[in-house]
Amino acid sequence: MVGSNSKSDISFAGTFASSAFAACFAEICTIPLDTAKVRLQLQKKGIAGDGIGMGLPKYRGMLGTVGTIAKEEGLASLWKGIVPGLHRQCLYGGLRIGLYEPIKNLYVGENFVGDVPLTTKILAGLTTGGLAIAVANPTDLVKVRLQAEGKLAAGVPRRYSGALNAYSTIIKQEGVRALWTGIGPNVARNAIINAAELASYDQVKQIPGFTDNVLTHLLSGLGAGFFAVCIGSPVDVVKSRMMGDPSYTSTIDCFVKTLKNDGPLAFYKGFIPNFGRLGSWNVIMFLTLEQAKKFVKSMESP
């Protein structure tokens, strides 16, 4: 990602492959935090007498949630959803980053000279994020369903035996359209987060004194993660709840019920693990991406 209108120095296929690889590597490193985030977001207020700790929440905080999951379900449970997570990153990560430069250049036009305006970068990020997740939504749904499962009583069988079984079971029981459950909030969330991540990363590299080095990638990744979570957290909670609980009839229904039953702070449930996840994810992804692109460039050079 460069802060100018110059065409990418590697092919779209090379950019797609580099982006998918970097996104998958970051996913493997940070998915335990994502699993904790999903559990916290799906956790509803306990009601005295409901048998769940007399109203006390099961999961408390990022480290507490990670510890509870590891203790009750085993360490491997923190990587629940990694298979569809990697499916998602191959599609979503590859498309949203791979299409960013072409879409940005399309918006400014062929004859544009100079630095691309921030508004154009944001628009390009919104576009590629929305398009990419529209394609990858089924992988996100399965990932959330697998991550959400873990509160079963003894003897109760799991809904899905794995990622492929989840895809087929959802299609059989709920229909193909069910794979796009939560598409509204998911497109909104990923368009917003993608715009925040890519536009800010692009913009930071233009700041005088900032060069294309590890420190720049570190600071821009953390900044992008924090900004993205602040804006995207409410729609992220709605997305996770809709995908994890089929009882919601629409995005508005989920939003209203969450606000009514759990209060406004529920929309920032899992904020710290979400920031920990997105901040670290961005740092790992961008550092890996830059190296992967250099490798691809050397392979493509005559």
Side-chain angles (χ1 to χ4, degrees):
M1 234 95 29
V2 291
S4 69
N5 188 42
S6 60
K7 290 187 177 180
S8 177
D9 48 9
I10 63 174
S11 65
F12 172 74
T15 304
F16 181 91
S18 300
S19 305
F21 173 77
C24 285
F25 182 67
E27 188 78 5
I28 292 168
C29 294
T30 63
I31 200 169
L33 296 177
D34 192 53
T35 299
K37 178 205 75 173
V38 168
R39 294 288 180 91
L40 285 167
Q41 289 177 336
L42 292 177
Q43 180 169 260
K44 298 171 185 177
K45 274 189 177 177
I47 302 170
D50 66 356
I52 308 176
M54 294 299 287
L56 295 175
K58 180 177 181 179
Y59 302 115
R60 294 189 175 192
M62 176 179 68
L63 295 180
T65 302
V66 168
T68 299
I69 295 169
K71 184 179 178 182
E72 293 186 355
E73 304 166 44
L75 204 59
S77 293
L78 291 168
W79 275 266
K80 269 184 182 174
I82 187 62
V83 173
L86 295 178
H87 294 166
R88 176 186 186 272
Q89 292 304 340
C90 282
L91 284 172
Y92 175 65
L95 287 172
R96 75 182 180 102
I97 300 168
L99 289 172
Y100 176 72
E101 288 290 339
I103 293 292
K104 186 174 71 172
N105 291 335
L106 177 69
Y107 285 157
V108 296
E110 286 183 19
N111 301 319
F112 181 84
V113 178
D115 292 335
V116 177
L118 177 60
T119 51
T120 303
K121 294 173 184 175
I122 292 171
L123 185 58
L126 288 170
T127 304
T128 62
L131 286 173
I133 202 59
V135 174
N137 198 81
T139 64
D140 221 2
L141 175 75
V142 169
K143 175 169 160 275
V144 169
R145 292 270 181 103
L146 290 175
Q147 287 177 316
E149 208 169 51
K151 301 168 276 188
L152 303 176
V156 177
R158 296 199 172 279
R159 274 199 295 179
Y160 314 113
S161 60
L164 296 181
N165 174 254
Y167 288 120
S168 61
T169 302
I170 291 167
I171 292 171
K172 278 182 198 172
Q173 296 181 352
E174 303 171 50
V176 175
R177 288 182 64 183
L179 289 171
W180 275 268
T181 298
I183 183 70
N186 209 17
V187 165
R189 171 197 181 267
N190 286 281
I192 290 167
I193 289 177
N194 190 55
E197 289 175 351
L198 299 190
S200 62
Y201 181 78
D202 207 348
Q203 196 72 11
V204 165
K205 291 176 77 172
Q206 282 185 259
I207 296 174
F210 274 72
T211 55
D212 192 6
N213 58 26
V214 172
L215 180 61
T216 297
H217 302 157
L218 177 68
L219 294 175
S220 61
L222 288 172
F226 182 75
F227 184 61
V229 174
C230 287
I231 296 174
S233 193
V235 75
D236 188 40
V237 170
V238 171
K239 183 266 299 186
S240 290
R241 290 199 172 193
M242 281 190 73
M243 288 183 167
D245 185 351
S247 67
Y248 296 113
T249 59
S250 67
T251 303
I252 294 173
D253 177 57
C254 182
F255 183 88
V256 171
K257 284 180 177 174
T258 300
L259 184 63
K260 182 180 177 183
N261 297 331
D262 300 315
L265 289 179
F267 293 110
Y268 284 90
K269 267 188 177 179
F271 181 89
I272 292 175
N274 204 3
F275 170 59
R277 151 79 163 171
L278 270 180
S280 58
W281 192 96
N282 272 281
V283 169
I284 295 168
M285 192 280 289
F286 281 123
L287 285 172
T288 307
L289 176 63
E290 296 292 347
Q291 297 307 310
K293 285 171 74 175
K294 285 179 185 176
F295 175 76
V296 171
K297 184 180 179 181
S298 69
M299 294 289 287
E300 291 185 346
S301 297

